[in-house]
Amino acid sequence: MRLVKYLHFLLSSLLFLLTWFVFVKTNRIHYDARYNWYVYAMYAAISYIFSRTYNSYLVGYSKPSDIAFSQSITCLLSTGAVYASVLIVWNKWYLPTPFLCVQPLMWLFNSLWAKAADRYYFHLNPPMKTAVIYRDEADRRRLKELSRYTRNFAMEKELCASPGLTIEEVIGFLKDCDAVFVTGVPATLRNGIAKYCVEMHIQGYFIPHVGDVIMAGSEHVQSFSVPLLAIRSGSAPEYLLVKRLMDLLICAAALVVLSPVLLLTAIAIKLEDGGPVFYRQIRLTKGGKEFSIIKFRSMGVDAEKDGVARLASEKDSRITRVGRFIRATRIDELPQLINVLRGDMTIVGPRPERPQIASEYEKALPAFRLRLQVRAGLTGYAQVYGKYNTDPVDKLLFDLMYINHMNLITDLQLMFATVKILFMKDSTQGVEEGQITAQNDRG
């Protein structure tokens, strides 16, 4: 499979190189032939970075259509980056016609490769005999997505980890299994399962506890003669300064570029029901500080006349016709760029919750407040890899993963990864009808 992936990367890069030759010939550009290698190397490097950002080679776990889409975005952005670099270096305008014309061919090539690679993967890898070990029904429901991966995992048995369960009983239970999913199990028992999986070459999948994610961001202290891991809070001031400057530059540029979209959206909202264009709501940011978030209004004027703070459901009658479109395309979030300029928010960080909803989450999950270690953001791990209705436990874990690994590279990757989810309907899926928050009943 690695060879198959390398072959795709090589062929797509060569296809770009051929397009580059057409671009040069079409525009009658004269230059040193060695420049071809510089351009090819630049495209390959940028394409590799974007393919990692969009998981373009996650064959066997992503649908072929998702893989083809990810690869097509990678090709488009990589080509655009090289083209922009050439214009800057040569300080002259050239028509991008060849680069634009090759994109449909790239999409077709990516689609055919993704389908072929998918078939080949499952030809090599039959479904693994899989077991699930869980604490209670709430933890079991966190693995409900396994039903979408029947080609990967043949679910054969489940085990509820009762308080008296021993590692010896688990070892007997895992006999003849190829994979196991573990969630909610006490740390001591889980460690024993992990060791057994390594020893017996069983594929182990573990949903982490909050403490696991925090420890993952620890550093080895070399001053001691025993293995010692240090947990530190806060980020380097240099990083925070650069992050703030990046917020200001990107948001200012985005507001200018997107001004026509902002104007048309405001007019459409006003024309639909004559109500206010913007919707303000109290949210929480770093340290639990309250601020007024700004969004385009997507619901009726009296959407919360009962005074109860609730998330939007999948078929929420409160959402207007214009609101349904701007929510699906994320246009309703654009005014938050103003919040970033004000300093209430940052581009990458945990999404801000309403005080009432955060309070409900913290009753069952006190650690949920750990999200408030940093400034709230427009996007983050929970938005890129989760959904609107992601359970607060998983949302907390996603956000802690980011907080414990904050750096400029991660920020840039998440910014670009957000481009992909703008076109994915699942990421805007609301809570179920009758639910007020995204929290599942934990019994």
Side-chain angles (χ1 to χ4, degrees), residues 20-152:
W20 165 257
F21 291 142
V22 175
F23 167 74
V24 170
K25 187 174 181 180
T26 302
N27 289 282
R28 299 178 180 178
I29 303 172
H30 301 285
Y31 64 99
D32 190 327
R34 289 179 301 178
Y35 202 81
N36 294 327
W37 294 108
Y38 300 148
V39 169
Y40 179 78
M42 184 190 305
Y43 177 85
I46 296 174
S47 180
Y48 174 78
I49 293 171
F50 278 126
S51 66
R52 294 291 299 269
T53 299
Y54 294 121
N55 292 321
S56 301
Y57 291 103
L58 203 60
V59 179
Y61 291 90
S62 294
K63 295 184 292 186
S65 57
D66 289 342
I67 292 174
F69 181 57
S70 297
Q71 290 173 345
S72 297
I73 291 182
T74 295
C75 293
L76 179 62
L77 293 179
S78 302
T79 301
V82 173
Y83 172 68
S85 300
V86 167
L87 296 186
I88 293 172
V89 171
W90 286 345
N91 195 26
K92 189 174 181 180
W93 168 261
Y94 295 102
L95 291 175
T97 307
F99 293 132
L100 295 176
C101 291
V102 80
Q103 295 308 314
L105 181 59
M106 286 277 200
W107 178 84
L108 178 61
F109 170 64
N110 291 331
S111 298
L112 293 175
W113 180 88
K115 290 183 179 180
D118 184 75
R119 288 187 178 183
Y120 185 57
Y121 176 89
F122 287 108
H123 172 72
L124 295 177
N125 301 281
M128 293 185 286
K129 297 179 181 179
T130 305
V132 171
I133 303 176
Y134 60 93
R135 180 186 59 179
D136 53 33
E137 280 303 309
D139 284 311
R140 185 171 176 269
R141 283 196 296 271
R142 295 176 72 187
L143 295 173
K144 62 182 179 182
E145 288 187 57
L146 280 175
S147 60
R148 293 165 43 190
Y149 296 93
T150 53
R151 295 194 299 168
N152 304 81

Side-chain angles (χ1 to χ4, degrees), residues 249-393:
L249 290 174
I250 293 176
C251 287
L255 285 172
V256 173
V257 173
L258 297 172
S259 56
V261 177
L262 297 172
L263 179 60
L264 290 174
T265 303
I267 293 173
I269 294 172
K270 196 69 177 178
L271 289 177
E272 181 168 20
D273 59 11
V277 170
F278 297 109
Y279 175 66
R280 297 176 182 272
Q281 196 176 71
I282 299 299
R283 297 287 181 100
L284 298 177
T285 188
K286 183 177 180 179
K289 180 183 176 182
E290 296 186 354
F291 72 100
S292 179
I293 199 171
I294 308 171
K295 302 176 70 173
F296 278 126
R297 183 173 58 85
S298 60
M299 294 187 177
V301 178
D302 58 351
E304 291 188 350
K305 58 184 178 182
D306 58 0
V308 178
R310 55 167 61 84
L311 299 180
S313 59
E314 187 63 23
K315 298 180 180 179
D316 204 315
S317 60
R318 299 174 298 164
I319 303 176
T320 63
R321 287 177 298 175
V322 173
R324 202 163 294 280
F325 173 77
I326 64 175
R327 288 173 72 93
T329 56
R330 308 302 205 292
I331 293 176
D332 64 321
E333 308 281 359
L334 291 180
Q336 291 170 47
L337 294 171
I338 299 173
N339 287 116
V340 176
L341 290 177
R342 288 179 175 176
D344 300 322
M345 299 174 63
T346 181
I347 294 178
V348 181
R351 285 294 293 163
E353 292 286 358
R354 300 177 67 173
Q356 302 94 318
I357 292 178
S359 178
E360 288 298 316
Y361 290 161
E362 289 173 19
K363 289 178 182 177
L365 185 64
F368 194 75
R369 192 169 180 82
L370 291 175
R371 300 171 70 250
L372 301 178
Q373 296 176 76
V374 297
R375 195 176 298 172
L378 294 176
T379 188
Y381 274 131
Q383 286 63 53
V384 172
Y385 302 111
K387 299 178 182 178
Y388 176 79
N389 61 358
T390 295
D391 187 274
V393 177

